[in-house]
Amino acid sequence: MKHTYYIGGMSCQGCSSHVERSLSEIKGVRGVSVDLDRAIAEIEFEYPVPLQSLQSELSVKTDRYTISDVPFETTAETKPTESISPNPGQGSLFYCPMQCEGDKTYNHPGDCPVCGMDLVPVTSAESSEADSHKKLVKKFWWALIFTIPIFIIAMSEMIPSNPLYRVLPQNIWNWIQLLLSIPVVFYSCWMFFERAFRSIRSWNLNMFTLIGMGAGVAWVFSLTALLFPGIFPDQFKSGSGDVHVYFEAATVILTLVLMGQVLESRAHTKTTSAIRELIALAPQTAIRLHNGVEETIMLSNVRKGDILRVKPGQKIPVDGFITKGQASVDESMISGEPIPLEKMLNDPVISGTINGNTTFLMQAEKVGSDTLLAHIIEMVNEASRSRAPIQSLADRISGYFVPAVVIIAIITFLVWSVWGPYPAYVYGLVNALAVLIIACPCALGLATPMSVMVGIGKGATSGILFRNATALQELSKITTLVVDKTGTLTEGKPSVADILSLDKGINQQELIRYAAALNHNSEHPLAEATVNYAHEKGIKSTEVENFKALAGQGVAGIIERLPVLLGNKSLIDTECGGLSESIEEQADVYQREGKTVTYIAIQKKVVGMVVYQDSIKGNSKEVIKEFHEKGIDVIMLTGDNDLTAGFIARQLGISDYKASLMPADKLDEVVRLRNTGRIVAMAGDGINDAPALASSDVGIAMGTGTDVAIESADITLVKGNLKGIIRAYNLSHSVMKNIRQNLFFALIYNVLGVPIAAGLLYPIFGILLSPMIAAAAMSFSSVSVIANALRLRSTTLDR
């Protein structure tokens, strides 16, 4: 028999595998199939098993998941989720900085159920981070207050004729150490033991497993030594018959680890500073004109269509366009471009950018979560939480690392107990503790996510938006860059250069009217240029019936009961049987100059041509040259004709290009290149580019393009500047280099630290590593990894 259940709490493929394995081990279960997208498990039973039994057995394996009867037909679209994408002003969600469960988020602060690290807020709201940091600092100071006297008592034994023993006997001082250690263990640092217990129960072994075992063994050993000293061998006893206690080792280790957590918390606020800066860009209020009267309102009360006044030096509150006046706007915080842009009537303005020294009126067009700034914040947050593929290497190492360390610690104790100097058992215990403490893999776990977080933030403040960490990593490996022409290599703001009538019965004015009418419903840059041209000439468009946008070819419709086409040669060849030789010769003249020609046909007869010109972006040639110098091939794919494409290619130094391509042709070409073993990045800005962007290894959308292209891409360049591709490529290389450095530091630290802690240098140099020094070194290693990641904030992208 089979039954379907809803599984709550799954967020990644690892979750579904864990649930499937756990359910399969339950008695009476014959087979299990878990669907992550639909959040369901289909279970085949040998005999009926009650739901309560399934939940009980699943809880034994892990308490992270729930099982229940399916309350409705779950689909990928209706799948319940624990998280939503945050917008400015909303409450924070929380995620694990070690990314143990990918981009899973939680509704409340606390500890990661996998690795035990403190969950951090998704939006990195400063108040939330400050509260968490403040709590850690408070616990640290309490731990320090009680640890210092314990340390003094323990170290006094190194003073000849210990003065403390003149006041009270050693046994009493041991009891004082116990009392002083209780607040450290059970208040300030109890969270470490809770995390260690959860890690062992779920068998997700991590840094807190080792900390809990190391400090816990030291404290429990000491407590037992106080209560039952008679059970210990003579090697553990002093001359007075008392067993040596290690309360100072336990408390100092825990306090140092807590200090490391405090330093990590402080460093973490720096890694997310870019996101906080973006959130801070949005002003809290706006000035709205209502019935001719100005009123100051909260930003959340601004509605689409509102007329707003922006005064000199103020931040623009929402996305919209200028309705009165002009402005010089600083958009560097969004695009990374330092030069202010002059904005005229009807020009777009972006939320969070800063007005210069004039006053203007604007109409709100996108508000709240629809603004570009909100999209950027959401995109950066999601990307910061995503996992880079290289992190799987660290995960695999960590998976074997903790059990290996425990085994090494046991071997260390046994070896010292058998061959160590007197008291051998004491040496064995101390060195085993040092191995457990120094080998904590925290630095290894932080190596990748910290670099990714800082890199994503650096990109955001430079106008480069990565959808996820995979795109950040893959961009560094590309061998071929495929680029569209219009809007990518050229400005994407074509203008009508000429309109030619090819039929004596139709004048130029009629051609403009037909062309503007057909293009009125199209979002292609050529369409916008045509409509603007008609508006400048004072020609009103007419109604169009049965309008159709023919991807990669043009547009069609019925105007005044006549079928009219406007498009490229491919459309004319398909619908009208081709062009005459004379018309092709006229078109060739323009195309050899790099201009684009489209044709107007009425009742399948070509009656006119519309000629467009679009200037090459100022830095396109420089960028193409830089990529060639880096050994990356640049290929231009365009839907324009071969003559126009050839002219542009020659101007830019591109030797490989293909013209007259349909969207499917661009897609096929990208797939073909990938099949030859190339790693392909595709840059484009139009609907025609969306399929190719989605199928490339890394899709790059010019932010000035269509929403469809941006949604299909892995990277968005806010400014739409081709220079941004080079900057993104340089950033990708810097981040990957930084990650490799962090992984090296973490691994080499453990490779060298564990043998020293085990006592490998003692027979030769007499060097032993105190567990307290090991704890300090372990905490420092984590902070050093974060400090190295923070260097990315000062990385120069233009090089």
Side-chain angles (χ1 to χ4, degrees):
M1 67 187 74
K2 287 186 179 181
H3 193 78
T4 301
Y5 298 92
Y6 165 67
I7 305 295
M10 295 192 302
S11 65
C12 63
Q13 198 62 47
C15 292
S16 63
S17 299
H18 197 170
V19 170
E20 189 169 302
R21 184 171 59 254
S22 299
L23 291 174
S24 299
E25 295 172 356
I26 297 175
K27 189 175 181 180
V29 173
R30 178 178 297 166
V32 180
S33 176
V34 177
D35 188 324
L36 176 64
D37 291 331
R38 297 172 64 197
I40 64 172
E42 189 176 79
I43 304 178
E44 183 178 359
F45 297 99
E46 295 178 359
Y47 51 82
V49 178
L51 178 61
Q52 293 83 353
S53 298
L54 293 175
Q55 180 62 69
S56 176
E57 292 293 330
L58 188 61
S59 298
V60 171
K61 304 291 183 182
T62 172
D63 57 2
R64 289 156 52 201
Y65 312 112
T66 59
I67 182 170
S68 60
D69 285 317
V70 179
F72 49 81
E73 180 57 29
T74 52
T75 64
E77 288 75 23
T78 61
K79 174 188 172 182
T81 178
E82 295 185 49
S83 64
I84 57 173
S85 297
N87 293 318
Q90 289 184 335
S92 291
L93 297 171
F94 298 83
Y95 74 102
C96 175
M98 308 277 274
Q99 301 167 330
C100 298
E101 298 186 273
D103 59 0
K104 180 176 180 178
T105 58
Y106 305 84
N107 293 323
H108 304 287
D111 302 332
C112 171
V114 178
C115 74
M117 287 288 288
D118 285 325
L119 299 176
V120 297
V122 166
T123 56
S124 296
E126 193 165 353
S127 60
S128 180
E129 285 192 342
D131 290 342
S132 176
H133 180 68
K134 196 176 296 183
K135 290 178 182 177
L136 282 175
V137 170
K138 179 182 177 182
K139 287 186 175 183
F140 170 71
W141 283 115
W142 277 112
L144 193 63
I145 288 171
F146 287 98
T147 297
I148 289 176
I150 295 175
F151 182 76
I152 292 173
I153 293 171
M155 293 300 104
S156 67
E157 295 183 9
M158 301 177 65
I159 303 174
S161 301
N162 190 336
L164 293 183
Y165 290 169
R166 298 175 188 173
V167 180
L168 293 171
Q170 179 181 357
N171 186 52
I172 300 299
W173 284 115
N174 288 347
W175 281 99
I176 292 174
Q177 289 186 64
L178 168 64
L179 294 175
L180 291 172
S181 71
I182 289 175
V184 179
V185 173
F186 293 96
Y187 168 66
S188 294
C189 302
W190 184 246
M191 57 184 174
F192 298 150
F193 296 102
E194 290 179 329
R195 295 171 183 178
F197 177 74
R198 282 199 299 270
S199 72
I200 295 172
R201 187 177 64 176
S202 63
W203 206 243
N204 290 306
L205 305 181
N206 53 56
M207 62 172 284
F208 296 107
T209 312
L210 302 180
I211 292 171
M213 290 179 64
V217 167
W219 193 84
V220 171
F221 172 90
S222 302
L223 178 64
T224 307
L226 271 180
L227 298 176
F228 311 105
I231 67 173
F232 290 90
D234 292 339
Q235 279 192 336
F236 283 95
K237 297 178 181 179
S238 64
S240 61
D242 294 318
V243 178
H244 186 80
V245 294
Y246 294 94
F247 290 117
E248 91 285 356
T251 53
V252 171
I253 287 169
L254 291 172
T255 301
L256 287 171
V257 172
L258 184 58
M259 181 184 71
Q261 296 280 289
V262 171
L263 295 175
E264 285 179 25
S265 174
R266 182 175 296 171
H268 190 273
T269 62
K270 296 180 181 180
T271 68
T272 57
S273 61
I275 301 176
R276 292 200 308 278
E277 289 169 7
L278 287 171
I279 293 174
L281 289 178
Q284 300 299 310
T285 60
I287 301 174
R288 181 172 64 186
L289 266 65
H290 186 65
N291 296 326
V293 178
E294 290 186 7
E295 57 180 354
T296 300
I297 61 174
M298 296 301 295
L299 187 64
S300 58
N301 293 328
V302 176
R303 298 291 179 264
K304 183 178 180 180
D306 284 351
I307 299 299
L308 309 175
R309 181 182 295 281
V310 182
K311 295 182 178 181
Q314 287 186 337
K315 295 176 181 177
I316 295 171
V318 296
D319 293 357
F321 57 90
I322 295 178
T323 58
K324 185 177 180 180
Q326 60 186 46
S328 177
V329 179
D330 179 4
E331 296 186 349
S332 60
M333 62 291 299
I334 298 292
S335 66
E337 297 295 328
I339 302 175
L341 299 178
E342 298 301 319
K343 301 283 186 176
M344 310 301 289
L345 190 66
N346 295 322
D347 280 349
V349 288
I350 302 171
S351 169
T353 57
I354 300 175
N355 181 27
N357 54 9
T358 62
T359 298
F360 65 87
L361 298 182
M362 63 170 289
Q363 180 174 321
E365 191 172 26
K366 293 182 178 179
V367 300
S369 61
D370 293 330
T371 64
L372 176 62
L373 179 59
H375 282 306
I376 290 174
I377 293 171
E378 179 181 352
M379 201 170 184
V380 171
N381 269 316
E382 291 180 356
S384 297
R385 303 196 314 271
S386 62
R387 291 165 60 92
I390 195 174
Q391 190 170 340
S392 60
L393 172 63
D395 292 344
R396 287 196 300 271
I397 294 172
S398 295
Y400 295 103
F401 189 75
V402 175
V405 168
V406 173
I407 293 172
I408 293 172
I410 294 173
I411 294 173
T412 298
F413 177 77
L414 294 175
V415 170
W416 278 93
S417 299
V418 176
W419 290 288
Y422 183 86
Y425 288 153
V426 175
Y427 275 107
L429 177 64
V430 171
N431 290 329
L433 292 179
V435 169
L436 289 173
I437 298 302
I438 201 169
C440 288
C442 183
L444 187 62
L446 290 171
T448 298
M450 290 297 106
S451 296
V452 167
M453 191 174 296
V454 179
I456 294 291
K458 174 70 175 180
T461 56
S462 304
I464 305 164
L465 305 180
F466 291 91
R467 185 173 298 279
N468 50 48
T470 300
L472 184 64
Q473 177 173 330
E474 289 300 306
L475 184 61
S476 67
K477 301 187 293 186
I478 64 169
T479 59
T480 302
L481 174 65
V482 174
V483 291
D484 175 49
K485 179 179 74 67
T486 304
T488 303
L489 296 175
T490 64
E491 293 290 351
K493 296 180 179 179
S495 59
V496 176
D498 203 355
I499 294 183
L500 285 76
S501 174
L502 304 175
D503 188 310
K504 294 181 180 179
I506 299 178
N507 59 33
Q508 188 185 61
Q509 189 168 347
E510 284 295 291
L511 290 175
I512 297 172
R513 187 166 67 90
Y514 284 142
L518 283 174
N519 278 318
H520 188 73
N521 295 319
S522 174
E523 63 174 358
H524 195 281
L526 297 183
E528 183 181 355
T530 308
V531 173
N532 290 340
Y533 185 79
H535 181 74
E536 292 170 3
K537 296 293 183 180
I539 299 173
K540 295 182 179 180
S541 63
T542 187
E543 292 294 323
V544 179
E545 298 177 1
N546 298 333
F547 172 82
K548 292 181 181 179
L550 307 170
Q553 293 185 308
V555 290
I558 305 297
I559 301 178
E560 297 169 352
R561 299 183 180 180
L562 296 174
V564 183
L565 300 171
L566 174 63
N568 57 23
K569 185 177 181 296
S570 174
L571 178 63
I572 300 303
D573 289 343
T574 303
E575 300 294 334
C576 306
L579 296 167
S580 67
E581 187 176 336
S582 61
I583 293 177
E584 285 204 52
E585 288 176 356
Q586 290 183 65
D588 286 352
V589 174
Y590 292 105
Q591 291 167 349
R592 287 194 177 93
E593 297 172 354
K595 296 175 181 176
T596 300
V597 177
T598 61
Y599 307 91
I600 302 174
I602 300 176
Q603 293 182 309
K604 297 193 175 183
K605 178 185 177 183
V606 179
V607 296
M609 291 192 304
V610 183
V611 182
Y612 303 91
Q613 58 186 9
D614 187 12
S615 57
I616 295 174
K617 287 183 178 179
N619 55 15
S620 290
K621 188 172 184 178
E622 172 192 349
V623 172
I624 300 301
K625 182 181 178 182
E626 283 191 56
F627 272 112
H628 284 157
E629 290 174 350
K630 293 178 183 294
I632 296 173
D633 296 329
V634 180
I635 301 173
M636 183 178 75
L637 304 181
T638 178
D640 217 331
N641 68 88
D642 189 71
L643 290 175
T644 302
F647 177 85
I648 298 295
R650 287 191 297 275
Q651 293 293 309
L652 296 174
I654 297 176
S655 58
D656 194 353
Y657 69 91
K658 291 191 176 183
S660 302
L661 298 180
M662 300 286 286
D665 298 326
K666 291 183 179 181
L667 171 61
D668 291 343
E669 183 62 19
V670 169
V671 171
R672 184 190 68 80
L673 289 169
R674 293 186 65 190
N675 288 339
T676 61
R678 301 196 194 193
I679 300 175
V680 180
M682 165 73 184
D685 76 329
I687 291 177
N688 293 349
D689 304 320
L693 287 171
S695 66
S696 60
D697 292 289
V698 182
I700 304 172
M702 316 306 281
T704 50
T706 65
D707 291 340
V708 175
I710 293 173
E711 288 298 319
S712 303
D714 302 300
I715 301 170
T716 298
L717 305 180
V718 174
K719 188 64 178 176
N721 192 320
L722 202 65
K723 184 71 174 176
I725 303 178
I726 278 288
R727 303 178 81 194
Y729 179 81
N730 290 338
L731 176 60
S732 175
H733 263 279
S734 296
V735 170
M736 295 312 300
K737 180 180 179 181
N738 192 270
I739 289 174
R740 285 190 287 269
Q741 289 171 345
N742 283 346
L743 290 174
F744 174 79
F745 292 153
L747 289 172
I748 199 66
Y749 165 82
N750 283 294
V751 167
L752 296 177
V754 170
I756 294 174
L760 190 65
L761 299 182
Y762 182 79
I764 304 172
F765 302 103
I767 296 175
L768 286 177
L769 196 63
S770 164
M772 292 178 285
I773 296 176
M778 184 273 294
S779 297
F780 177 76
S781 70
S782 299
V783 176
S784 65
V785 164
I786 297 178
N788 186 53
L790 288 174
R791 293 191 307 108
L792 287 169
R793 295 191 301 172
S794 58
T795 297
T796 302
L797 303 184
D798 294 316
R799 48 188 170 83

